Amino acid sequence: MTHQENYNLSTSMIEELAQNGLEVIPELVRVILNNVMQAERSQYLQAKAYERTEDRQGHANGYKPKTVRTRLGDITFAIPQVREGGFYPSALEKGMRSERALLIALAEMYVQGVSTRRVKAITEELMGVEISAMQVSRAAQQLDEVLQEWRERPLGEIQYLYADARYEKVRDAGQVRDAAVLVATGISPEGERQVLGVSVSLSEHETHWKAFLKSLKDRGMHGVKLVISDDHAGLGAARRAVFGSVPWQRCQFHLQQNAGAYVPRQSMRKEVAADIRAMFNAPDKMTAEQYLKVIIEKYARSAPRLSVWMEHNLAEGFTVFDFPLEHRRSIRTTNSLERINKEIRRRTRVVGVFPNEASCLRLISARLMEISEDWQIGKRYCAARSFVC
């Protein structure tokens, strides 16, 4: 570990850039990123190099070289160190996102059944260097290892658990079948969102859900106070088997959508939707239950099937009323998971039909891992402990 001088762009480098042009770009990237990482450490320590201040949060401890393979070739960066530990520059992490995206692109090409020759041609165009079939295979294997480690990482206390399912087309024994993609997210006691897990399987619904939920507990997830989901096939029995007496909140958004299937006339849709929204927006459970009785009676003659459906289903959206008012907006629907599903769909629709379950899991895991990383460096979803949103 050696002391590193200021990384400002020197006059000699400017002259070299003017003389040699693009050949100097790797060195320019090294200098700029080193400078950014040095500034990030100063911000982390709340003190510049050798600065004496009461606000200082630690001490600089030199630099550690790290060589990274980029599209510009191998570049050795000087990673700033902190004596007390716990610091790693996000500038370098963000700078590598494009490299991870390239690995995901390679995986996407594989799952689409693109030939090795075509993969080689595309990667050469993207990176400007020749990549062999062995390198492509190794990149895919390394990606799988990283994704598996992420999927199996230990979990901690999660107070609100969200679960959802979607379906992707997968080839199985020469036939195209629907594979269920299960995704779980959660909110920790500190108000932080987490992508907890993902599973892809052609197996029977209840068996798949039960194995998936059990895997979350086996990885250390505990403290769940509420499960939020839609009424997916097999989830109810699996949830009761794995989480016992943990309350369930049925997604209010999906309940309102489901009601549309029982409305006899198009002209009634807006009125029915307004009644259901008013009920879910009630100040407390007692008021919501009273309003439910009113609308059940209201539609008993004009829409009897709707009235019966309301009586048997809408109360499943009332569990949220047992929780503090400031929590309800975040835990009454699975809308946050719906946004994730849109991101997944944006990637998977390019593939169309996956050659197998593993290829589907690879691509979806890669996108979820990126979303999880964005959440970690972003702002809290809710305030710590109080969950005030």
Side-chain angles (χ1 to χ4, degrees):
M1 298 182 187
T2 58
H3 174 65
Q4 197 82 13
E5 297 297 335
N6 197 333
Y7 285 108
N8 291 331
L9 203 59
S10 65
T11 303
S12 61
M13 180 167 291
I14 294 175
E15 292 176 353
E16 189 176 354
L17 182 61
Q19 182 177 352
N20 298 319
L22 297 177
E23 294 180 4
V24 189
I25 288 182
E27 177 63 13
L28 186 61
V29 170
R30 185 188 71 83
V31 171
I32 291 174
L33 198 53
N34 281 346
N35 201 21
V36 170
M37 290 189 292
Q38 189 181 54
E40 189 177 351
R41 179 175 64 178
S42 296
Q43 184 177 9
Y44 176 84
L45 296 176
Q46 296 187 25
K48 297 179 181 178
Y50 307 112
E51 181 182 9
R52 296 182 181 274
T53 169
E54 294 180 356
D55 296 328
R56 178 181 285 276
Q57 299 297 311
H59 300 83
N61 193 32
Y63 300 81
K64 185 175 181 180
K66 180 175 182 178
T67 301
V68 178
R69 177 158 294 177
T70 75
R71 301 183 196 185
L72 300 171
D74 290 352
I75 300 178
T76 300
F77 297 102
I79 312 300
Q81 304 293 295
V82 171
R83 186 183 305 168
E84 293 79 8
F87 169 78
Y88 190 82
S90 62
L92 183 62
E93 185 69 15
K94 291 176 181 177
M96 294 301 103
R97 286 196 183 278
S98 60
E99 306 309 317
R100 287 201 300 272
L102 177 61
L103 293 180
I104 295 169
L106 292 174
E108 287 174 342
M109 285 182 254
Y110 263 117
V111 299
Q112 291 178 69
V114 179
S115 68
T116 302
R117 181 180 301 174
R118 181 60 181 153
V119 170
K120 181 173 177 287
I122 293 173
T123 52
E124 285 179 16
E125 182 178 348
L126 286 174
M127 299 186 68
V129 295
E130 182 177 339
I131 293 184
S132 67
M134 183 178 296
Q135 287 174 306
V136 173
S137 178
R138 188 182 302 119
Q141 181 180 356
Q142 290 173 346
L143 181 58
D144 283 341
E145 291 172 357
V146 169
L147 295 177
Q148 182 176 353
E149 183 179 357
W150 176 76
R151 287 194 300 267
E152 296 176 353
R153 73 195 188 283
L155 300 175
E157 184 177 358
I158 294 295
Q159 297 201 9
Y160 294 137
L161 171 65
Y162 302 79
D164 199 11
R166 56 175 288 102
Y167 295 88
E168 296 292 344
K169 299 293 184 182
V170 171
R171 292 191 184 279
D172 177 55
Q175 294 183 338
V176 177
R177 298 177 57 190
D178 288 328
V181 180
L182 310 185
V183 178
T185 63
I187 303 180
S188 71
E190 290 71 36
E192 296 174 342
R193 284 190 297 176
Q194 298 179 26
V195 178
L196 303 175
V198 58
S199 177
V200 175
S201 178
L202 293 165
S203 63
E204 190 268 332
H205 296 305
E206 183 178 338
T207 303
H208 189 191
W209 271 115
K210 187 174 180 180
F212 179 56
L213 296 178
K214 186 175 183 300
S215 71
L216 299 179
K217 290 188 70 173
D218 291 344
R219 288 165 52 202
M221 187 184 73
H222 63 280
V224 177
K225 293 183 177 180
L226 181 67
V227 177
I228 307 103
S229 75
D230 193 15
D231 188 26
H232 291 292
L235 174 58
R239 173 176 49 81
R240 288 188 290 271
V242 177
F243 289 105
S245 59
V246 175
W248 173 50
Q249 166 66 27
R250 185 170 173 181
C251 176
Q252 292 182 354
F253 175 75
H254 285 103
L255 273 170
Q256 186 169 321
Q257 283 191 321
N258 296 153
Y262 298 88
V263 178
R265 296 186 303 278
Q266 184 71 27
S267 58
M268 295 178 60
R269 286 182 175 273
K270 287 186 178 180
E271 182 182 3
V272 171
D275 283 337
I276 294 176
R277 277 198 306 273
M279 178 190 61
F280 285 147
N281 289 332
D284 53 56
K285 181 181 282 189
M286 182 179 295
T287 304
E289 290 173 340
Q290 290 172 350
Y291 203 107
L292 176 59
K293 291 179 182 179
V294 170
I295 62 176
I296 288 173
E297 182 64 26
K298 176 181 178 179
Y299 294 109
R301 289 190 176 183
S302 59
R305 290 181 65 247
L306 173 65
S307 179
V308 172
W309 180 87
M310 285 179 164
E311 185 175 6
H312 287 89
N313 290 273
L314 287 183
E316 293 177 342
F318 289 174
T319 311
V320 69
F321 290 111
D322 296 331
F323 290 80
L325 179 62
E326 61 268 23
H327 301 191
R328 295 177 192 171
R329 185 176 179 181
S330 297
I331 62 176
R332 65 182 184 174
T333 71
T334 58
N335 286 351
S336 59
L337 264 178
E338 285 297 311
R339 288 189 287 271
I340 289 178
N341 277 333
K342 286 183 180 179
E343 275 297 308
I344 293 174
R345 189 158 50 244
R346 189 169 65 87
R347 297 297 180 91
T348 59
R349 69 185 178 191
V350 177
V351 179
V353 179
F354 288 89
N356 51 56
E357 292 178 40
S359 62
C360 182
L361 180 62
R362 177 190 298 127
L363 181 55
I364 293 175
S365 296
R367 185 63 191 118
L368 289 175
M369 185 175 180
E370 288 190 337
I371 291 172
S372 181
E373 290 174 347
D374 288 340
W375 283 356
Q376 288 176 5
I377 63 176
K379 64 180 181 180
R380 284 190 173 92
Y381 187 57
C382 298
R385 295 291 170 184
S386 65
F387 290 98
V388 178
C389 299

